[in-house]
Amino acid sequence: MARILTGIQSSGKPHLGNLLGAILPAIALSKEQHNDSFFFIADLHSLTTIKDPGLRKENINSVAAAWIACGFDTKKNTFYRQSKVPEVCELAWILNCFTPFPMLANAHSFKDKSDKLSNVNAGLFVYPVLMAADILLYDADIVPVGKDQKQHLEMTRDLGITFNKKFGDTFVIPDPQINSQMEIIPGIDGKKMSKSYGNTIDIFQSDKKLRKNIMSIQTDSLALEAPKNPSTCNVFKLYELLGSQKEIQTLRKSYLGGNYGYGHAKQELFELIVKIFAKERSTYNELISHPESLEKMLNEGEKKASKIARYVLSRVKSKVGF
Ligand code: ADP
Ligand code: TRP
């Protein structure tokens, strides 16, 4: 049996990049019979950037609803909010005291974020240590994440290995699982799709808004008659991630044949998204309008998560002499 663990920050509504890069591959793994999965909402991490309490609650519900709408089975697995298992903060503090300063100062994600933000807080700096605590607290074996999280997983392993060397076997050392085909999903401007770049596609919004969102994907300005290059087009790149081989070949031919505009291709992409995510979109909207059912699922998961967290934390505390 392998324990699979991953988290999504509640820093906005989940987008197509989160779904394809993290949520769907993680759910596929959770369905394998021998896997025991711990999927959570990283709401403490979201405090590094989001300060509005109302928005935080809204985002927590959106992320929770996305997991369930995409098919996560909360009976077989463990589903929880990070903040409801406060042992993670205690473990993060212990790990902080074993984390070399340069490891954090050289983290790509800290450098990226601190270059962009006017207000850089200490939480952003120690973000990777809280993430290591998320993983090590639950004896996780495998952590499915997008490629952008690779360095955070390396730090987690380093911290776990160093601690084990000093105090004897304490932590399970996790392996990242990065879905190579879905490495980086492009956003509507062709850069990595990310909430922080404002370039996302939100598949859960209404048809009208989703269509408008897709129509805003950036393309070149070739005339309708001109043949078009599928491999440099953002619309085609997204279509290629979602369509069947036959659908992709048909669209490729239309691009190469000319007399086919980007507006047509965007309409095809819109229709494909509506078709393949029909069930997920309707379940998501149902859950968002009935947050009590989400609350119940989370409460049950939090009881299960707390038991393990208490057990692992006491193991760690006894090693360091508390
Ligand atoms: P964002 O960049 O929008 O803030 P998060 O950092 O909350 O996204 O990412 C949550 C999960 O989704 C992570 O595992 C991350 O690797 C994955 N992910 C986010 N954006 C993408 C993307 N564009 N392509 C692939 N995976 C992504
Ligand atoms: N840092 C991750 C992200 O931004 C979210 C996260 C927090 C996470 N804790 C985790 C992912 C533990 C995997 C395991 O995407």
Side-chain angles (χ1 to χ4, degrees):
M1 185 191 79
R3 177 159 299 158
I4 319 292
L5 177 143
T6 196
I8 302 268
Q9 278 198 74
S10 48
S11 50
K13 279 180 97 185
H15 53 73
L16 189 61
N18 298 144
L19 253 65
L20 299 179
I23 298 182
L24 291 170
I27 290 177
L29 267 181
S30 76
K31 292 199 163 143
E32 288 174 23
Q33 204 190 344
H34 298 295
N35 289 342
D36 165 27
S37 298
F38 280 56
F39 293 171
F40 68 97
I41 300 153
D43 53 354
L44 292 171
H45 276 112
S46 80
L47 190 56
T48 57
T49 50
I50 308 262
K51 312 294 181 191
D52 179 317
L55 183 58
R56 181 174 336 286
K57 286 207 177 110
E58 217 176 275
N59 289 341
I60 290 172
N61 281 345
S62 300
V63 176
W67 276 117
I68 305 300
C70 290
F72 187 51
D73 176 352
T74 60
K75 290 262 183 296
K76 173 176 184 262
N77 303 294
T78 306
F79 185 50
Y80 57 103
R81 284 161 288 203
Q82 180 190 31
S83 63
K84 298 283 176 176
V85 191
E87 283 78 2
V88 75
C89 296
E90 206 173 336
L91 179 58
W93 177 254
I94 294 173
L95 293 174
N96 266 323
C97 298
F98 290 91
T99 304
F101 180 87
M103 181 196 262
L104 297 179
N106 293 328
H108 308 310
S109 74
F110 178 70
K111 284 195 195 150
D112 290 352
K113 285 178 188 160
S114 53
D115 283 351
K116 277 188 214 102
L117 296 172
S118 53
N119 174 1
V120 180
N121 59 64
L124 269 174
F125 189 68
V126 293
Y127 181 113
V129 185
L130 180 58
M131 180 158 164
D134 286 330
I135 299 169
L136 299 175
L137 186 60
Y138 296 98
D139 286 343
D141 300 301
I142 296 171
V143 183
V145 279
K147 198 182 171 190
D148 56 334
Q149 298 298 314
K150 194 167 168 245
Q151 195 186 38
H152 286 154
L153 261 296
E154 281 160 9
M155 293 183 191
T156 303
R157 287 174 54 88
D158 271 6
L159 291 175
I161 291 170
T162 310
F163 192 100
N164 284 355
K165 275 201 188 125
K166 192 166 173 57
F167 295 103
D169 265 359
T170 310
F171 292 121
V172 171
I173 306 303
D175 283 311
Q177 178 158 313
I178 296 166
N179 185 332
S180 55
Q181 203 201 343
M182 292 298 179
E183 277 188 357
I184 304 258
I185 314 300
I188 58 173
D189 55 359
K191 283 194 275 187
K192 174 195 179 257
M193 187 180 294
S194 170
K195 279 162 276 194
S196 34
Y197 303 150
N199 64 355
T200 60
I201 294 179
D202 168 8
I203 67 145
F204 297 117
Q205 61 196 331
S206 67
D207 282 3
K208 195 167 163 214
K209 287 193 180 148
L210 176 60
R211 188 168 182 281
K212 195 162 165 229
N213 191 184
I214 290 172
M215 288 296 160
S216 65
I217 298 174
Q218 290 171 19
T219 56
D220 60 37
S221 46
L222 281 177
L224 178 76
E225 305 76 46
K228 299 179 176 62
N229 183 353
S231 53
T232 56
C233 175
N234 294 330
V235 184
F236 191 84
K237 281 185 199 155
L238 288 166
Y239 194 92
E240 225 178 356
L241 293 169
L242 300 167
S244 65
Q245 279 314 312
K246 194 164 160 240
E247 286 166 331
I248 297 166
Q249 283 321 320
T250 310
L251 190 68
R252 187 187 298 281
K253 272 197 197 133
S254 305
Y255 266 69
L256 298 175
N259 274 322
Y260 187 83
Y262 292 117
H264 297 128
K266 290 175 185 176
Q267 179 65 28
E268 291 285 349
L269 177 62
F270 165 70
E271 286 172 15
L272 182 66
I273 290 180
V274 168
K275 181 180 85 178
I276 61 179
F277 290 115
K279 193 159 146 268
E280 288 79 357
R281 294 176 79 224
S282 100
T283 312
Y284 175 92
N285 285 301
E286 180 71 28
L287 288 165
I288 287 295
S289 48
H290 296 284
E292 332 70 75
S293 57
L294 286 175
E295 189 65 35
K296 191 164 168 273
M297 289 182 226
L298 287 163
N299 283 334
E300 279 164 16
E302 285 149 11
K303 279 187 210 137
K304 288 199 253 175
S306 291
K307 262 193 204 157
I308 299 179
R310 281 200 291 267
Y311 172 72
V312 176
L313 183 64
S314 68
R315 201 165 77 202
V316 178
K317 286 175 80 175
S318 74
K319 287 280 174 78
V320 286
F322 287 115

